[in-house]
């Protein structure tokens, strides 16, 4: 490909290099295609071995077979490569891949080597291929049976109980365990795939399905998918199982196991309204379809924003849509995260914080101001509490992490809650209309591009602040993004938001008066959570028994509420809650619930043996991510 070296140096942004057309157009322009900031250290991703300035992957074509018996995927990955003049090799990320051969497009063998494995294993090993002029490389390989991105479920681990199941989770750096490519969020790639699976299983991916599956006549079918927009490779995702589809609107629908589909559909049938609200706020939805799949409960996250196919835990289903902020959240990532994507894991807030803010705006639009205010107040409280826990000068409370942090960090309050409060604060100071217009153009101007904190702040300053020195001082932007703790200008939630609940907590603290059962059931899920989060931490067996008897906590239909109850009960060494906790932990693999419950148990001599006993039973059923977290909590090394 004829590309000027100067342009290629900036090709960290994918938008410019997606198609030969766009590439040659950009190369012929005299202006640099992107802000030079992307070539600075701020955009540097230390979690990849790739050297995109030398040679980068622009397109991935997967041809893979799903082997449920061997719990392995294998086949071919064909990569299109854009190399700088004179570049001799391309470096890919890989982790545990068994490589049979590497050839060029014409079948000529290319030499390659796999380097040393990273110390903690997560980064994997560099796969260096001698290009010898090739613009296309074909890798024949198999993923390891224990590839960390993939979870293979036995029929017993599914709701239907009859067929096995497979799902992947790529974010943050797991996709290199099943796809040999440059696995860095700043190196966007288009992709397509042909996947074969045994009948009657269905396959979905984070790309648009092409036509009907092809019957291969050997008990298997082949499914084809295309993602024609350049995406960060952590967004390539797959799920396969006995699943059915039900439409919601003309561009949306939900997949789930047949026995789950009706419940799932009833929970998510607002989705078309959520999409419309999101579009009204920040511009067109650019991905065509928006489908969701409700996975088995082993899925380690609440949700994952895989393009055109959001992955969801079934544990968000409450029967009353009270956890649908989750859908608003994953949908919002279609702008913040999937259109404008952080270029390195250190800018986590650019994806998650902006999305949490956007989520709340969708919630306000569709479910009303009161619910949005309550959810904002919960975020604000969790931010304040999170900062108290680690101390206001802890570097973990900075939004833009100065040091390398785990790319999997999702629990840090700095990423989600501080991001939300920051943007609410800015919105409040500059005015909603101006702020919305600014955010809309931010997504537009950086669609399909990697972005950094520096770019975000520079753009805010250029377009919203200008020469207004007073506004600049009032906003405290740098303190928000680079500083620790909670800046003094943070927009506090309206104290009236939870007035009724806070009064009920005060009465409970004063003389043990509990809300009546009617009051409790009349509360929103957010109000119930507020009560459980605010009640005194230390409770006796009698007090816990009274709480459960009055409020029916161990039968709570909302898992967020049930979780808070179980956590409080286990912290207080409450024996009667153990069987329920055990059932919960054996059915649910969502790390946000599982890890804290094991932590609660591990804090006492009473709980430690219980934790070890339960974990011995449940460990194998958890995804590698959840397993890693609980292993650390219980002080175990893998395999113990
Ligand atoms: N993208 C995240 C999940 C994630 C983040 C996975 C970082 C791996 C590394 C997803 O959008 C998310 O935030 N999920 C939350 C949803 C909640 C905030 C509504 C979850 O799973 O709890
Ligand atoms: Zn998110």
């Amino acid at each position: 490909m004829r590309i000027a070296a100067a342009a290629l140096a900036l090709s960290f942004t994918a938008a410019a290099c997606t198609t030969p057309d766009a590439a040659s157009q950009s190369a012929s322009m005299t202006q640099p295609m992107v802000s030079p900031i992307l070539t600075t250290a701020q955009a540097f991703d230390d979690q990849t071995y790739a050297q995109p300035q030398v040679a980068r992957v622009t397109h991935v074509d997967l041809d893979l077979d799903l082997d449920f018996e061997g719990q392995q995927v294998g086949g071919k990955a064909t990569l299109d490569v854009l190399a700088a003049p004179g570049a001799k090799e391309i470096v890919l990320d890989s982790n545990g891949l068994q490589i049979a051969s590497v050839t060029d497009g014409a079948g000529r063998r290319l030499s390659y080597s796999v380097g040393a494995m990273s110390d903690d294993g997560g980064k994997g090993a560099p796969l260096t291929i001698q290009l010898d002029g090739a613009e296309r490389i074909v890798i024949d390989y198999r993923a390891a049976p224990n590839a960390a991105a993939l979870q293979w479920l036995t029929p017993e681990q599914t709701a239907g109980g009859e067929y096995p199941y497979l799902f992947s989770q790529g974010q943050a750096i797991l996709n290199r365990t099943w796809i040999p490519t440059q696995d860095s969020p700043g190196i966007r790639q288009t992709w397509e795939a042909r996947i074969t699976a045994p009948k009657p299983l269905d396959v979905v991916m984070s790309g648009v399905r092409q036509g009907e599956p092809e019957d291969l006549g050997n008990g298997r079918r082949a499914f084809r998918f295309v993602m024609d927009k350049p995406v960060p490779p952590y967004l390539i995702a797959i799920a396969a199982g006995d699943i059915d589809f039900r439409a919601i609107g003309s561009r949306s629908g939900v997949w789930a196991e047949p026995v789950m589909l009706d419940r799932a559909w009833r929970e998510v049938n607002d989705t078309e309204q959520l999409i419309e609200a999101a579009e009204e706020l920040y511009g067109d939805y650019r991905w065509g379809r928006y489908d969701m799949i409700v996975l088995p409960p082993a899925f380690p996250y609440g949700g994952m924003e895989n393009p055109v196919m959001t992955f969801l835990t079934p544990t968000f289903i409450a029967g009353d849509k009270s956890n649908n902020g989750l859908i608003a959240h994953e949908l919002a990532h279609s702008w913040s995260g999937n259109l404008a994507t952080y270029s390195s894991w250190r800018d986590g807030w650019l994806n998650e914080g902006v999305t949490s803010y956007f989520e709340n705006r969708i919630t306000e639009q569709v479910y009303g101001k009161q619910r949005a205010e309550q959810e904002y107040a919960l975020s604000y409280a969790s931010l304040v509490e999170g900062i108290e826990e680690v101390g206001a000068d802890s570097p973990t409370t900075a939004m833009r992490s100065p040091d390398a942090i785990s790319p999997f960090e999702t629990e840090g309050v700095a990423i989600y809650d501080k991001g939300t409060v920051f943007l609410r604060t800015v919105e409040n100071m500059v005015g909603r209309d101006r702020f919305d217009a600014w955010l809309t153009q931010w997504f537009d101007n950086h669609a399909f591009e990697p972005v950094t904190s520096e770019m975000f702040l520079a753009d805010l300053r250029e377009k919203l602040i200008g020469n207004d020195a007073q506004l600049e001082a009032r906003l405290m932007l740098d303190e928000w993004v680079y500083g620790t703790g909670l800046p003094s200008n943070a927009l506090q939630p309206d104290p009236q938001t939870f007035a009724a609940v806070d009064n009920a907590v005060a009465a409970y603290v004063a003389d043990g008066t509990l809300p009546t059962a009617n009051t409790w059931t009349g509360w929103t899920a957010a109000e119930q959570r507020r009560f459980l989060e605010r009640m005194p931490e230390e409770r006796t067996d009698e007090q816990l028994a009274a709480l459960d008897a009055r409020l029916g906590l161990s039968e709570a239909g909302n898992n967020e509420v049930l979780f808070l109850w179980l956590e409080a009960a286990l912290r207080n060494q409450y024996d009667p809650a153990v069987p329920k906790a055990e059932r919960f932990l054996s059915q649910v693999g969502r790390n946000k619930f599982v890890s804290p419950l094991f932590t609660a148990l591990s804090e006492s001599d009473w709980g430690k043996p219980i934790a070890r006993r339960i974990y011995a039973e449940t460990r194998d059923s958890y995804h590698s991510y959840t397993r890693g977290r609980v292993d650390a909590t219980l002080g175990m090394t893998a395999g113990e």
Side-chain angles (χ1 to χ4, degrees):
M1 202 159 287
R2 283 159 284 108
I3 284 271
L8 193 73
L10 295 165
S11 65
F12 214 47
T13 61
C17 299
T18 321
T19 60
D21 260 21
S24 47
Q25 195 187 351
S26 306
S28 67
M29 295 193 306
T30 48
Q31 291 298 307
M33 301 177 277
V34 291
S35 156
I37 207 132
L38 282 170
T39 61
T40 69
Q42 279 95 31
F44 182 70
D45 174 14
D46 64 351
Q47 298 295 323
T48 183
Y49 291 102
Q51 296 165 6
Q53 302 86 344
V54 177
R56 49 156 292 162
V57 175
T58 58
H59 182 78
V60 178
D61 184 353
L62 299 171
D63 188 352
L64 301 175
D65 300 314
L66 308 183
D67 170 5
F68 281 85
E69 261 99 68
Q71 302 204 327
Q72 225 177 355
V73 309
K76 282 190 177 70
T78 303
L79 309 180
D80 290 350
V81 173
L82 183 60
K88 294 204 161 35
E89 53 188 41
I90 184 165
V91 185
L92 309 177
D93 295 299
S94 70
N95 191 349
L97 303 178
Q98 304 159 10
I99 294 162
S101 70
V102 181
T103 52
D104 70 3
R108 193 164 49 103
R109 286 202 172 242
L110 299 176
S111 62
Y112 67 92
S113 65
V114 179
M117 190 75 171
S118 68
D119 287 341
D120 73 348
K123 187 174 170 181
L127 165 56
T128 306
I129 296 167
Q130 301 307 314
L131 285 171
D132 205 7
E135 289 176 358
R136 176 166 286 175
I137 50 184
V138 183
I139 302 165
D140 200 325
Y141 74 104
R142 300 187 75 78
N146 59 353
L150 304 177
Q151 190 169 8
W152 302 87
L153 303 179
T154 60
E156 298 73 51
Q157 286 176 281
T158 66
E162 245 190 283
Y163 298 99
Y165 204 103
L166 165 71
F167 65 78
S168 72
Q169 166 62 37
Q171 202 182 14
I173 52 171
L174 299 178
N175 267 350
R176 61 193 67 178
T177 65
W178 72 290
I179 304 173
T181 189
Q182 294 177 321
D183 188 12
S184 175
I187 310 178
R188 305 181 79 99
Q189 298 149 42
T190 52
W191 62 269
E192 66 195 286
R194 175 181 177 272
I195 307 287
T196 77
K199 287 203 269 189
L201 304 192
D202 248 296
V203 182
V204 297
M205 287 190 84
S206 53
V208 179
R209 203 152 118 169
Q210 308 292 301
E212 288 301 309
E214 175 196 354
D215 198 322
L216 299 174
N218 57 356
R220 298 179 70 85
R221 294 190 295 172
F223 299 77
R224 287 178 181 275
F225 305 89
V226 171
M227 173 44 69
D228 63 0
K229 298 166 182 63
V231 293
Y234 70 80
L235 290 176
I236 305 176
I238 189 168
D242 175 24
I243 49 176
D244 280 344
F245 175 78
R246 184 157 167 200
I248 297 166
S250 59
R251 58 176 159 178
S252 57
V254 61
W255 290 86
E257 287 187 67
V259 294
M260 282 289 298
L261 188 56
D262 197 49
R263 265 183 76 217
W265 183 88
R266 274 184 279 126
E267 203 77 5
V268 305
N269 63 15
D270 283 348
T271 299
E272 200 59 40
Q273 281 153 264
L274 299 176
I275 304 171
E276 277 161 23
E279 289 192 303
E280 231 170 89
L281 283 164
Y282 300 121
D284 290 349
Y285 178 76
R286 303 209 195 191
W287 303 84
R289 293 200 59 84
Y290 183 79
D291 292 324
M292 295 160 281
I293 178 166
V294 175
L295 295 153
F299 187 59
Y301 291 101
M304 179 64 213
E305 66 270 27
N306 299 131
V308 308
M309 187 65 68
T310 280
F311 281 25
L312 297 169
T313 174
T315 64
F316 87 100
I317 297 176
D320 60 3
K321 305 186 177 179
S322 51
N323 293 328
N324 281 13
L326 175 68
I327 301 166
H329 180 98
E330 304 313 336
L331 170 66
H333 272 305
S334 306
W335 289 258
S336 40
N338 297 359
L339 271 190
T341 311
Y342 51 33
S343 68
S344 93
W345 311 108
R346 297 199 299 190
D347 274 334
W349 77 275
L350 275 179
N351 276 22
E352 299 302 341
V354 178
T355 293
S356 297
Y357 169 82
F358 191 161
E359 167 197 337
N360 195 264
R361 295 293 305 278
I362 297 172
T363 297
E364 177 179 326
Q365 200 101 319
V366 176
Y367 298 113
K369 191 148 186 91
Q370 190 207 14
R371 176 157 164 186
E373 272 301 310
Q374 290 185 348
E375 289 177 8
Y376 180 67
L378 287 182
S379 289
Y380 192 93
S382 110
L383 174 59
V384 169
E385 202 188 303
I387 290 173
E388 261 166 28
E389 248 166 56
V390 294
D393 50 8
S394 165
T396 61
T397 64
M399 278 164 44
R400 201 300 186 177
S401 160
D403 306 307
I405 58 156
S406 160
F408 294 96
E409 191 50 70
T410 56
E411 283 128 59
V413 290
I415 293 176
Y416 290 80
D417 297 325
K418 194 171 174 181
T420 309
V421 176
F422 170 48
L423 294 185
R424 278 282 286 246
T425 302
V426 176
E427 177 210 318
N428 188 252
M429 279 186 188
V430 306
R432 182 169 269 199
D433 290 348
R434 284 183 67 209
F435 183 69
D436 284 353
W438 177 78
L439 195 51
T440 304
Q441 67 79 38
W442 165 258
F443 294 136
D444 270 352
N445 291 335
H446 298 287
F448 306 108
E449 282 182 16
V451 290
T452 64
S453 288
E454 288 66 35
M455 291 165 70
F456 189 93
L457 291 186
D459 200 57
L460 257 182
R461 289 195 160 104
E462 184 194 324
K463 295 173 182 147
L464 264 190
I465 304 175
N467 297 324
D468 190 340
Q470 240 189 333
L471 178 61
E472 167 74 39
R474 279 169 57 228
L475 284 168
M476 303 167 67
L477 298 177
D478 292 323
E479 190 174 336
W480 273 101
V481 175
Y482 303 108
T484 62
L486 184 58
S488 57
N489 66 352
L491 179 73
Q492 299 192 20
D494 179 348
Q496 286 309 304
T497 307
F498 282 127
V501 183
D502 292 345
N503 286 336
V505 172
Y508 180 52
V509 171
D511 59 6
T513 308
L514 278 166
T516 66
N518 275 341
T519 302
W520 178 260
T521 50
W523 280 349
T524 64
E527 287 172 319
Q528 295 182 350
R529 288 166 65 181
R530 172 79 166 200
F531 183 88
L532 294 173
E533 280 167 5
R534 287 283 156 119
M535 73 174 195
E537 277 189 19
E538 278 178 33
R539 300 281 82 191
T540 64
D541 281 8
E542 292 70 34
Q543 289 168 325
L544 289 166
L547 264 171
D548 194 19
R550 173 67 65 87
L551 309 177
L553 295 172
S554 44
E555 300 310 317
N558 182 309
N559 280 314
E560 301 280 350
V561 174
L562 177 61
F563 160 75
L564 288 173
W565 157 249
L566 291 175
E567 187 180 37
L570 297 181
R571 274 213 181 123
N572 286 289
Q573 307 173 32
Y574 183 58
D575 278 306
V578 172
K580 181 82 193 181
E582 183 164 2
R583 217 169 318 135
F584 188 83
L585 287 167
S586 65
Q587 283 161 3
V588 173
R590 183 176 177 184
N591 181 63
K592 178 183 146 180
F593 294 149
V594 171
S595 276
L597 292 183
F598 278 111
T599 300
L601 283 169
S602 71
E603 279 165 357
S604 70
D605 290 340
W606 168 86
K608 276 190 190 112
I610 301 174
R612 288 191 170 262
R613 174 176 62 74
I614 297 178
Y615 195 44
E617 293 290 319
T618 59
R619 186 177 186 277
D620 282 351
S621 69
Y622 296 149
H623 184 270
S624 65
Y625 170 70
T626 302
R627 211 185 295 150
R629 288 299 173 114
V630 181
D631 282 352
T633 300
L634 299 183
M636 301 170 87
T637 49
E640 202 179 314

